[in-house]
Amino acid sequence: MKLDLHVHTCLSPCADLLMVPDVVKDFSEKLDALGIADHNSAKNVRAFSRVKEIVVPGLEIQTVEDVHLLCFFTKIENALKVTEIVYEHLPKIRHDHERAGYQLLVNEKGEYTGYEDHPLNMPTDLTLKEVVELVVKNGGFPVYAHAERRFGVLFQLGFFPELEVYVAEVVSEEGKILAEKAGLRAIVASDAHRPEEIGKRYIEISCEGKRIEKIFESILRGEYRLGGVCPWLG
Amino acid sequence: MKIREIAEKLGLKHVCGNLDEEVKYGFTCDLLSEVLGRAKPGTLWITVQTHVNIVAVATVVGIKGIVLCNGHEYDKETVEKAVQSGIVLLKSEENSFLVSGKIYELGLR
């Protein structure tokens, strides 16, 4: 099963407005499963839940240390519950869509249903530890986003702290080596903000069945291989 | 004080923005939430962060200019957004401590 776990939608202010369900569906034909993870919000996940047979609900939370943490759930409800808590911890300012990028809510047909006015491009006031605890408490599965790049845990902190996070998305061979040295499973994903980026990197999992729990069990056991544009794989 | 005066006296590289903007305060920090919560309008911000979100933070706070230290490069997208938002971007090869000290000596507080 080919899975690209890190895909943004038109809800993320930095993503292309074309990241609507039909377009994401068209551009992910070669994949079997997608993870939808917008910045600090899972409010568009439901609209995208039928673009693939398997869509993993998620969000990418920005901690007070400016670390991006991907948080995945088996149920949309849990992702939405965590979203509400995240919203309470974002700065109390109204997002400027014109200047900082549109944050658009859509329905399954890709029709814009509204603006999200919480500033999703801003950090929460929650520490990385607090976010990990929040996610785990709500049955979620945390993954360090682009660990060795800007807003990644290694870039921001310089090391992998001892937390209940066992998987890291990496973007380079160096990141892969560092993650594995720290005892983490290293995966890749596209972090797509534009349609043509979807599936640029993905993992191919040997996984029985289609339940999201099983997918994460397979990742934890290392039963996957990296795919897509990973030049360091040779 | 005009940003121009600071840029010239410190030999900062000008990336974009109007150097005639006036600043009264300096703020040195790499954590966006701290800057959001504590920096004042009319500030020159000294940091090593390069991501486009620094422009969003600057816009929200009313920061007039950013000095990027340690020889880092701004992302292309950051420069584009700064041009749109009218935020002055400057660069220095020196570290944040040295840059902050020199700016303090010039009179920003």
Side-chain angles (χ1 to χ4, degrees):
Chain A
M1 170 199 303
K2 286 181 181 170
L3 163 67
D4 180 355
L5 258 182
H6 190 174
V7 175
H8 288 266
T9 81
C10 54
L11 178 57
S12 292
C14 42
D16 197 307
L17 297 185
L18 280 174
M19 294 298 267
V20 294
D22 279 350
V23 177
V24 169
K25 188 177 180 176
D26 286 347
F27 278 82
S28 59
E29 272 180 352
K30 289 180 184 157
L31 299 163
D32 304 295
L34 282 183
I36 298 292
D38 281 307
H39 293 293
N40 292 317
S41 180
K43 292 254 173 156
N44 258 359
V45 172
R46 201 182 293 281
F48 286 76
S49 59
R50 281 198 245 168
V51 298
K52 283 277 144 204
E53 199 176 350
I54 306 167
V55 173
V56 185
L59 65 161
E60 183 178 17
I61 302 177
Q62 185 166 340
T63 73
V64 75
E65 303 92 341
D66 291 324
V67 172
H68 284 191
L69 188 73
L70 292 164
C71 309
F72 297 106
F73 299 87
T74 52
K75 296 195 188 85
I76 293 177
E77 291 71 27
N78 295 40
L80 289 172
K81 187 183 158 201
V82 168
T83 298
E84 291 305 331
I85 296 165
V86 165
Y87 280 6
E88 287 168 25
H89 291 275
L90 283 172
K92 301 285 176 279
I93 49 177
R94 196 185 159 94
H95 184 72
D96 185 338
H97 299 272
E98 290 270 332
R99 283 187 151 191
Y102 289 94
Q103 299 180 164
L104 301 172
L105 297 161
V106 288
N107 61 20
E108 285 196 3
K109 290 182 209 153
E111 295 161 345
Y112 298 118
T113 57
Y115 293 107
E116 176 53 73
D117 287 330
H118 289 281
L120 303 182
N121 55 343
M122 296 285 164
T124 62
D125 62 7
L126 296 165
T127 64
L128 177 56
K129 186 164 182 279
E130 287 170 331
V131 174
V132 172
E133 283 167 3
L134 171 69
V135 172
V136 172
K137 196 176 80 185
N138 284 281
F141 189 91
V143 174
Y144 291 122
H146 37 75
E148 75 279 33
R149 208 180 65 199
R150 276 173 288 100
F151 292 125
V153 67
L154 269 186
F155 188 95
Q156 291 296 128
L157 305 183
F159 62 97
F160 288 104
E162 286 200 21
L163 296 167
E164 282 185 76
V165 185
Y166 306 109
V167 181
E169 179 210 333
V170 299
V171 295
S172 66
E173 183 172 30
E174 191 200 2
K176 181 173 180 281
I177 292 167
L178 288 170
E180 287 173 349
K181 220 169 161 181
L184 291 140
R185 295 288 181 197
I187 64 164
V188 293
S190 70
D191 192 9
H193 285 69
R194 275 161 265 288
E196 64 275 15
E197 293 167 358
I198 299 169
K200 189 174 75 181
R201 288 185 291 270
Y202 58 87
I203 52 172
E204 194 158 1
I205 311 179
S206 36
C207 171
E208 304 254 336
K210 293 185 169 124
R211 290 177 53 212
I212 291 169
E213 294 95 321
K214 292 285 174 199
I215 291 177
F216 285 110
E217 279 171 25
S218 297
I219 292 175
L220 285 177
R221 284 199 296 265
E223 294 165 353
Y224 61 89
R225 61 174 199 85
L226 309 184
V229 187
C230 310
W232 71 91
L233 292 176
Chain B
M1 185 183 295
K2 280 195 180 8
I3 294 180
R4 180 184 306 282
E5 189 182 338
I6 298 166
E8 281 172 3
K9 288 196 170 144
L10 269 67
L12 303 174
K13 187 170 173 224
H14 179 219
V15 178
C16 69
N18 177 8
L19 290 173
D20 289 325
E21 289 281 359
E22 293 274 344
V23 284
K24 278 169 84 173
Y25 311 102
F27 198 85
T28 307
C29 189
D30 302 317
L31 271 186
L32 304 188
S33 55
E34 285 282 309
V35 179
L36 274 170
R38 295 171 195 265
K40 298 177 210 157
T43 286
L44 187 62
W45 175 16
I46 297 116
T47 185
V48 294
Q49 287 281 14
T50 60
H51 188 269
V52 63
N53 283 6
I54 60 174
V55 177
V57 168
T59 307
V60 167
V61 175
I63 285 168
K64 299 291 181 191
I66 300 172
V67 185
L68 181 63
C69 299
N70 289 351
H72 286 291
E73 292 290 334
Y74 290 103
D75 297 355
K76 186 165 154 269
E77 211 188 342
T78 307
V79 178
E80 285 166 9
K81 276 282 173 198
V83 169
Q84 281 171 24
S85 308
I87 305 288
V88 180
L89 296 186
L90 302 160
K91 286 198 316 189
S92 171
E93 295 296 319
E94 293 186 313
N95 72 37
S96 305
F97 175 78
L98 292 174
V99 171
S100 305
K102 289 176 182 178
I103 291 176
Y104 186 89
E105 278 187 344
L106 291 179
L108 287 202
R109 291 296 180 260

